[in-house]
Amino acid sequence: QVQLVESGGGLVQAGDSLSLSCVVSGNIFSDNAVYWYRRAPGKQRELVAGITGGGATNSVDSVKGRFTISKDNAKNTVYLQMNSLKPEDTAVYYCNIRTSITDYWGQGTQVTVSS
């Protein structure tokens, strides 16, 4: 059974940092791309960053230079290091893993950035 469990969210001030983690259970981690999405209040879900099975990364322009996605295959974990946080980064952050058949989602972790 595949499960994704996010952690690391919280309430911080603008300019602070947070590190999110996503642990993926089930034997699908190393070969598949993993993504971080977010949904801000009143807005649609937005792709934030992704990392392929081979470790190639990408992120949206609004977080480039501030957010870094990485992974540890030995721990089946993907990380999202978020620096220089802004109030507009406030959202529920979700982890997603995409296989050739379907994709799976975590329950989300709340990130709130106060000004």
Side-chain angles (χ1 to χ4, degrees):
Q1 183 177 0
V2 176
Q3 282 189 315
L4 285 71
V5 179
E6 303 100 332
S7 62
L11 171 62
V12 297
Q13 292 186 332
D16 285 351
S17 298
L18 277 176
S19 181
L20 305 184
S21 298
C22 172
V23 180
V24 181
S25 62
N27 193 27
I28 63 170
F29 180 80
S30 60
D31 293 334
N32 295 291
V34 181
Y35 303 90
W36 284 100
Y37 285 80
R38 66 185 179 187
R39 177 174 282 152
K43 295 188 177 181
Q44 290 188 330
R45 186 175 61 201
E46 173 191 30
L47 176 63
V48 177
I51 185 165
T52 68
T57 64
N58 205 348
S59 60
V60 296
D61 287 345
S62 60
V63 307
K64 282 186 189 297
R66 300 189 299 122
F67 291 11
T68 303
I69 188 170
S70 62
K71 68 173 184 171
D72 185 336
N73 284 336
K75 296 182 178 180
N76 282 11
T77 301
V78 171
Y79 305 97
L80 186 67
Q81 177 64 41
M82 306 186 294
N83 299 327
S84 303
L85 282 162
K86 304 176 180 180
E88 51 264 42
D89 295 319
T90 294
V92 178
Y93 284 72
Y94 298 91
C95 183
N96 165 264
I97 187 166
R98 201 164 296 171
T99 73
S100 59
I101 299 173
T102 187
D103 56 353
Y104 301 89
W105 294 88
Q107 82 288 349
T109 186
Q110 175 71 48
V111 172
T112 304
V113 185
S114 64
S115 57

